[in-house]
């Protein structure tokens, strides 16, 4: 996707208020970046592709174990424009690394080696908050159950912030999200029954506490959650557990919601129990990834197994009617099988993810939630795990001719309450995404104003379109 975006001149506007000047019309093609944890040498790659599907390329191959190998999770694009991710193995201690990748010159740099006591074997993704990167490790720490950590890209300083010690959770596969200036996530083990937790972390005092324990039994809570939480536009948290109650009926996973504003007894609610029994397995079962909210307010996800061809399925949950329906069955021979990642809804409104194949080569696909059509786009070298694609913004470029002809301006930035759009095209709509490419907010632009007071502090990507011309850039919510 080629487009020219804003220019920032800090000396022009006083009082920390500056203009973001957007650029030329976007192409229909959308650029994606991703991580695969295995390839021919079983070390992994960073890949780049697009919504058309004909321009796939491995832009970096993990071939030197000292620089990190086997990346899991997803890439994020930070405020500095660089992509950041983690490897689960390699580095000087063979316990994984943090790295950066420049999408302009395709250069890779290892930034930190995990050492065991301060974390080991990260399987999730990083998040950016107040100028720092935060993440989770699957192992390491005081009892080898994982840690919460922070990393400052500008200084290279790494800090272990908290240890998972079973009671507050253990062995997280996924990533954290920011909600009301606190972090929330899931662990696959730990808690009251040792089968997983929903936790809260306060970056102000580094306090890590369990909010909910997943318990095996007839309650239908599910257990062994391996993805990340979703913060929906309604302010509720949604998530998946990998399995349901122990036994036969409803053993295939649970979709749940969590309301931080409800009373303690009513915060956690199981919404749908997937079944792995022979009679009901065609509906899909076992959930590995994370839920995704569509522009229509519905929740989308994939089951790893089950469906008509026992290859997995795509489902849709409607929060208004509290109903879930299967909307697609993967076919092993044509579509691939066992999807182990998560959807992103790209700026074109389509869902993108991948499936596995017998040869170990994943298949990138596009899914249209309106028509229910699934289209294969390209093959991926190896198989990605526990992550999703990243849709990146363009480089910060400008020219005087563009500024004179189409000066669309967004201000103030940073902002606490609202964004003002000057010279906004008529009938424009907006979408706001976090750094993990998750859609958080969307709507029509009313008199050039977009209210953002309901967002947490952090860095976001805003996309504005009137159906003919599209613009995008980052802003900071204070």
């Amino acid at each position: 996707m080629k487009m020219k975006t804003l220019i920032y001149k800090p000396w022009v506007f006083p009082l920390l208020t500056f203009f973001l000047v957007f650029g030329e019309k976007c192409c229909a093609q959308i650029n994606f970046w991703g991580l695969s944890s295995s390839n021919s040498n079983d070390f992994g790659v960073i890949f780049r592709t697009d919504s058309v599907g004909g321009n796939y390329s491995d832009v970096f191959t993990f071939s030197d174990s000292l620089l990190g190998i086997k990346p899991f999770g997803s890439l994020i694009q930070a405020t500095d424009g660089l992509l950041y991710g983690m490897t689960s193995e390699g580095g000087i201690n063979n316990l994984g690394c943090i790295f950066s990748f420049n999408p302009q010159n395709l250069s890779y740099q290892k930034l930190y080696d995990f050492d065991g006591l301060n974390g080991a074997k990260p399987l999730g993704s990083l998040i950016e908050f107040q100028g720092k990167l935060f993440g989770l490790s699957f192992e390491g720490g005081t009892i080898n159950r994982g840690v919460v950590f922070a990393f400052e890209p500008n200084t290279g300083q790494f800090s272990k912030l908290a240890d998972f010690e079973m009671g507050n959770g253990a062995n997280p596969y996924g990533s954290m999200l920011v909600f009301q200036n606190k972090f929330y996530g899931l662990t696959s083990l730990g808690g009251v029954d040792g089968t997983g937790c929903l936790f809260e972390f306060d970056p102000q005092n580094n306090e890590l506490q369990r909010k909910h324990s997943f318990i095996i039994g007839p309650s239908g809570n599910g257990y062994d959650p391996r993805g990340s939480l979703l913060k929906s536009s309604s302010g509720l948290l949604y998530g998946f557990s990998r399995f349901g109650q122990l036994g036969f009926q409803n053993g295939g996973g649970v979709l749940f919601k969590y309301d931080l504003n409800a009373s303690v007894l009513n915060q956690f609610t199981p919404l749908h129990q997937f079944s792995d029994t022979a009679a009901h397995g065609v509906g899909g079962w076992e959930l590995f990834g994370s839920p995704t909210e569509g522009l229509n307010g519905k929740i989308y996800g994939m089951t790893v197994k089950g469906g008509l061809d026992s290859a997995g399925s795509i489902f849709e949950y409607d929060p208004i009617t509290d109903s879930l329906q299967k909307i697609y069955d993967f076919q092993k021979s044509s579509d691939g099988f066992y999807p182990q990642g998560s959807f992103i809804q790209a700026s074109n409104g389509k869902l993108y993810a991948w499936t596995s194949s017998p040869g170990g080569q994943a298949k990138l696909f596009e899914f249209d939630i309106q028509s229910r059509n699934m289209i294969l786009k390209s093959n991926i070298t190896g198989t990605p795990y526990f992550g999703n694609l990243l849709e990146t913004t363009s480089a910060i470029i400008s020219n005087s001719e563009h500024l004179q002809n189409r000066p669309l301006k967004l201000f103030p930035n940073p902002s606490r309450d609202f964004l003002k759009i000057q010279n906004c095209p008529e009938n424009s709509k907006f979408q706001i995404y976090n750094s993990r490419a998750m859609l958080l907010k969307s709507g029509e632009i009313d008199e050039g104003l977009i209210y953002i007071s309901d967002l947490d502090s952090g860095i976001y990507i805003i996309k504005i379109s009137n159906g003919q011309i599209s613009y995008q850039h980052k802003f900071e919510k204070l």
Side-chain angles (χ1 to χ4, degrees):
M1 177 176 59
K2 181 180 180 182
M3 69 177 178
K4 295 182 179 180
T5 57
L6 72 168
I7 185 171
Y8 168 39
K9 295 183 177 181
W11 59 87
V12 177
F13 302 100
L15 301 178
L16 298 180
T17 299
F18 59 85
F19 289 88
L20 298 178
V21 181
F22 291 79
E24 296 178 354
K25 182 178 178 180
C26 292
C27 300
Q29 177 177 300
I30 298 171
N31 292 327
F32 297 122
W33 300 76
L35 297 171
S36 175
S37 59
S38 64
N39 58 341
S40 59
N41 63 10
D42 205 31
F43 284 173
V45 300
I46 299 174
F47 64 86
R48 177 178 60 192
T49 186
D50 55 48
S51 57
V52 176
N55 295 308
Y56 176 91
S57 63
D58 295 328
V59 295
F60 181 80
T61 298
F62 293 89
S63 58
D64 185 345
S65 61
L66 291 179
L67 296 178
I69 57 175
K70 298 186 179 181
F72 283 68
S74 310
L75 293 165
I76 69 164
Q77 186 174 36
T79 314
D80 57 13
L82 297 178
L83 309 183
Y84 290 88
M86 298 184 287
T87 68
S88 63
E89 298 180 22
I92 59 175
N93 303 305
N94 198 30
L95 296 174
C97 303
I98 300 174
F99 66 84
S100 67
F101 188 79
N102 189 320
Q104 302 301 315
N105 60 24
L106 307 183
S107 61
Y108 174 95
Q109 182 178 5
K110 183 181 72 171
L111 303 175
Y112 177 78
D113 294 280
F114 288 96
D115 60 9
L117 180 61
N118 293 298
K121 197 176 182 179
L123 300 179
S125 311
L126 298 163
I127 61 171
E128 185 178 21
F129 180 72
Q130 296 181 348
K132 297 181 181 180
L133 302 178
F134 293 83
L136 306 170
S137 71
F138 180 74
E139 295 178 353
T142 54
I143 64 169
N144 202 36
R145 290 297 186 177
V147 307
V148 181
F149 65 84
F151 180 78
E152 298 185 49
N154 292 333
T155 64
Q157 181 179 352
F158 179 96
S159 303
K160 182 178 75 170
L161 305 178
D163 290 277
F164 289 103
E165 299 176 330
M166 290 302 292
N168 59 5
N171 303 115
Y173 279 83
S175 312
M176 297 183 290
L177 61 78
V178 183
F179 186 44
Q180 298 175 349
N181 294 320
K182 293 183 179 180
F183 302 163
Y184 295 87
L186 301 167
T187 64
S188 62
L189 300 176
V192 174
D193 209 24
T195 51
C197 288
L198 188 156
F199 68 86
E200 174 188 89
F201 176 77
D202 189 338
Q204 302 303 316
N205 57 22
N206 294 340
E207 181 180 353
L208 175 64
Q209 62 173 315
R210 181 184 75 235
K211 300 293 288 184
H212 174 78
S213 285
F214 293 89
I215 299 175
I216 298 176
S219 62
N221 286 350
Y223 65 97
D224 191 15
R226 295 201 176 187
S228 305
L229 292 166
L230 161 72
K231 184 182 72 173
S232 70
S233 56
S234 65
L236 298 174
L237 302 181
Y238 289 86
F240 300 144
S241 69
R242 183 184 180 190
F243 297 119
Q245 69 186 61
L246 187 65
F248 296 99
Q249 286 191 334
N250 302 321
V254 174
L255 165 66
F256 64 85
K257 69 177 179 180
Y258 192 85
D259 187 351
L260 289 163
N261 297 317
S263 61
V264 174
L265 294 178
N266 296 316
Q267 287 181 321
F268 183 92
T269 305
L271 299 173
H272 182 82
Q273 300 175 9
F274 294 83
S275 174
D276 62 357
T277 59
H280 303 286
V282 292
W285 59 282
E286 191 172 347
L287 307 173
F288 254 86
S290 309
T292 299
E293 183 178 27
L295 289 171
N296 56 9
K298 297 179 181 180
I299 308 298
Y300 294 88
M302 297 177 285
T303 66
V304 178
K305 299 177 182 178
L308 293 178
D309 199 28
S310 298
S313 65
I314 300 174
F315 60 86
E316 174 188 84
Y317 173 76
D318 189 338
I320 296 178
T321 61
D322 187 26
S323 60
L324 184 143
Q325 63 172 326
K326 181 181 67 173
I327 57 177
Y328 190 82
D329 292 281
F330 291 108
Q331 303 297 313
K332 290 179 181 178
S333 60
S334 57
D335 301 337
F337 51 85
Y338 302 164
Q340 298 187 45
S342 305
F343 282 123
I344 66 162
Q345 185 170 35
S347 54
N348 62 3
K350 307 291 181 61
L351 299 178
Y352 293 86
W354 53 75
T355 57
S356 304
S357 70
Q361 187 175 54
K363 298 181 178 182
L364 171 68
F365 69 88
E366 172 189 278
F367 185 78
D368 189 324
I369 60 178
Q370 300 297 326
S371 65
R372 307 298 202 230
N373 287 332
M374 187 266 212
I375 303 175
L376 291 177
K377 289 296 182 176
S378 64
N379 290 326
I380 298 174
T381 302
T383 302
Y385 293 100
F386 311 131
N388 53 260
L389 294 167
L390 170 69
E391 180 181 349
T392 57
T393 63
S394 294
I396 299 176
I397 304 172
S398 181
N399 60 53
S400 58
E401 179 182 358
H402 161 69
L403 295 179
Q404 293 172 4
N405 294 336
R406 279 203 297 265
L408 190 149
K409 302 176 182 179
L410 181 150
F411 66 97
N413 188 1
S415 178
R416 189 178 304 277
D417 298 313
F418 65 89
L419 299 173
K420 175 68 176 177
I421 314 297
Q422 282 191 348
N423 303 322
C424 184
E426 292 184 1
N427 303 317
S428 291
K429 297 181 180 181
F430 73 91
Q431 299 170 332
I432 295 177
Y433 296 81
N434 64 12
S435 60
R436 292 175 53 212
M438 296 174 62
L439 177 66
L440 302 180
K441 190 178 179 73
S442 64
E444 297 182 353
I445 301 177
D446 185 14
E447 298 183 350
L449 286 175
I450 300 174
Y451 292 95
I452 59 171
S453 58
D454 56 332
L455 296 176
D456 293 310
S457 299
I459 303 299
Y460 298 90
I461 297 170
I462 184 169
K463 300 180 180 180
I464 298 172
S465 174
N466 67 349
Q468 296 179 331
I469 299 175
S470 298
Y471 305 89
Q472 65 178 10
H473 213 279
K474 293 190 180 77
F475 71 92
E476 181 179 2
K477 167 64 167 65
L478 297 175

